[in-house]
Amino acid sequence: MDFKNITVAGSGVLGSQIAFQTAFKGFKVSVYDIDEEAIDRAKNRIMNLKVRYQQDLDAAEEDVNLAYNRMAFFTDLSEAVKDADLVIEAVPEVVDIKTNFYNQLAEVAPEKTIFATNSSTLLPSQFAESTGRPHKFLALHFANEIWLNNTAEIMKHPNTDKKVFEDVIDFAKAIGMVALPLQKEQPGYILNSLLVPFLEAAQMLLLKRVADVETIDKTWMIATGAPKGPFAILDIVGINTAYNIANAKGEAGQEEFKKLANLLKSEYIEKGKLGAETKEGFYTYPDPSYLNKDFLE
């Protein structure tokens, strides 16, 4: 593995985390998004990450500032990828958006560049031909709060070159991740094969009005000893991501997921309640009720 220049395409919650963690570990990072407004939001996220790294990892102020200085921001894709050894795609979890992105990327990326998708639930083989270099394409999936939950699932598709697979495993280790190689394609990898059904089950309980958010989370936390319930987790993941997954299943003909997508859209997204990042989602931040001492009583 001889990667030096990394481009992260898509600067949302997880894209910003991937970019900053990579820079923190010494790589030069280019961050791409579609417009200046998106880039400004990314810069704000990353300024907040600098604080979190100091709080959670006891990182020195000098080190987080150096990491930020290794980053550059672009709205021109060709400029963002002109020196890239690896492009990590973290654009929205929508098939058409990802396909269109790879069609554009294939036209401007250098021949040397490896492409990796951070898709949560979609398979790399769905986009391999769109990349124009299927042998240099695979999935590299991170958990949210990457600096603490440092898993990196590396999943190849049938035509991924063996050396590309091994190089991306080495890269994951180089940025402080526990590398978890998957030898066969699996929707949701390992983590989301376990997590997504759990989160969907909780959302269905809410949709059917079986119980409210706090009661569902409280039940899970007391019964399992978990520090967070499913709706607290969804606030960290971001309600837009939950909506995109539900909407895709709804459009595929699953009526319950269509109803869930409508609920998330009307009651949360359209009201600006996107999760912890916007200070309100299923809970209100910075002091969500599930952190109260009496929440589990």
Side-chain angles (χ1 to χ4, degrees):
M1 192 272 290
D2 191 30
F3 300 164
K4 294 182 175 64
N5 301 308
I6 312 300
T7 297
V8 177
S11 64
V13 173
L14 199 48
S16 294
Q17 292 179 19
I18 296 166
F20 189 70
Q21 175 71 17
T22 302
F24 186 71
K25 290 296 182 176
F27 291 85
K28 183 179 177 183
V29 178
S30 298
V31 179
Y32 165 78
D33 218 315
I34 56 174
D35 56 37
E36 290 295 342
E37 184 178 347
I39 290 295
D40 286 342
R41 289 195 297 268
K43 289 178 179 178
N44 287 334
R45 288 188 189 101
I46 291 165
M47 294 304 290
N48 290 331
L49 287 175
K50 289 169 64 175
V51 176
R52 290 294 303 274
Y53 274 57
Q54 291 176 273
Q55 292 174 342
D56 296 342
L57 304 180
D58 200 25
E61 184 176 4
E62 179 184 5
D63 290 336
V64 296
N65 287 338
L66 285 171
Y68 188 83
N69 290 338
R70 294 187 190 104
M71 305 175 73
F73 298 86
F74 299 89
T75 56
D76 183 323
L77 183 59
S78 60
E79 284 296 310
V81 303
K82 67 180 182 181
D83 297 318
D85 298 303
L86 173 68
V87 173
I88 302 171
E89 169 266 306
V91 306
E93 193 77 347
V94 178
V95 171
D96 287 348
I97 293 176
K98 288 186 185 293
T99 300
N100 291 336
F101 171 76
Y102 281 117
N103 287 334
Q104 296 174 40
L105 181 63
E107 294 181 1
V108 296
E111 184 179 346
K112 68 173 182 175
T113 310
I114 292 168
F115 299 168
T117 179
N118 181 58
S119 171
S120 299
T121 57
L122 304 171
L123 297 175
S125 58
Q126 291 178 252
F127 309 103
E129 292 307 315
S130 299
T131 69
R133 58 190 76 190
H135 61 293
K136 290 185 177 180
F137 176 60
L138 75 176
L140 175 60
H141 180 253
F142 299 91
N144 220 309
E145 298 197 335
I146 182 175
W147 64 98
L148 296 174
N149 306 319
N150 61 326
T151 61
E153 297 174 281
I154 303 96
M155 183 168 70
K156 58 186 177 180
H157 65 90
N159 294 320
T160 303
D161 183 87
K162 181 180 178 182
K163 187 175 187 308
V164 168
F165 185 58
E166 292 170 350
D167 282 349
V168 174
I169 291 171
D170 288 343
F171 167 74
K173 294 176 181 177
I175 62 168
M177 300 294 104
V178 176
L180 304 166
L182 279 70
Q183 303 299 329
K184 184 178 180 180
E185 284 191 307
Q186 164 64 31
Y189 314 76
I190 298 169
L191 176 61
N192 283 329
S193 291
L194 300 169
L195 180 62
V196 170
F198 165 63
L199 298 179
E200 288 178 345
Q203 292 172 86
M204 287 302 173
L205 291 172
L206 180 65
L207 177 68
K208 295 174 182 178
R209 300 183 180 179
V210 172
D212 61 26
V213 164
E214 291 190 347
T215 302
I216 295 167
D217 275 11
K218 185 184 299 186
T219 302
W220 183 256
M221 293 165 71
I222 295 173
T224 67
K228 292 182 178 70
F231 290 100
I233 294 170
L234 282 162
D235 272 352
I236 295 170
V237 171
I239 295 174
N240 269 327
T241 297
Y243 168 78
N244 287 335
I245 293 171
N247 190 54
K249 292 186 177 183
E251 289 181 346
Q254 298 186 54
E255 287 300 318
E256 287 295 296
F257 283 97
K258 187 178 294 184
K259 293 175 184 177
L260 175 58
N262 289 337
L263 171 69
L264 295 173
K265 183 177 181 182
S266 63
E267 296 301 315
Y268 297 93
I269 293 172
E270 289 181 348
K271 295 179 180 179
K273 300 177 180 181
L274 306 183
E277 186 186 25
T278 58
K279 308 301 183 188
E280 190 171 6
F282 295 107
Y283 293 93
T284 302
Y285 298 83
D287 299 308
S289 60
Y290 69 82
L291 291 180
N292 293 343
K293 290 181 180 179
D294 62 353
F295 184 73
L296 300 183
E297 296 177 357

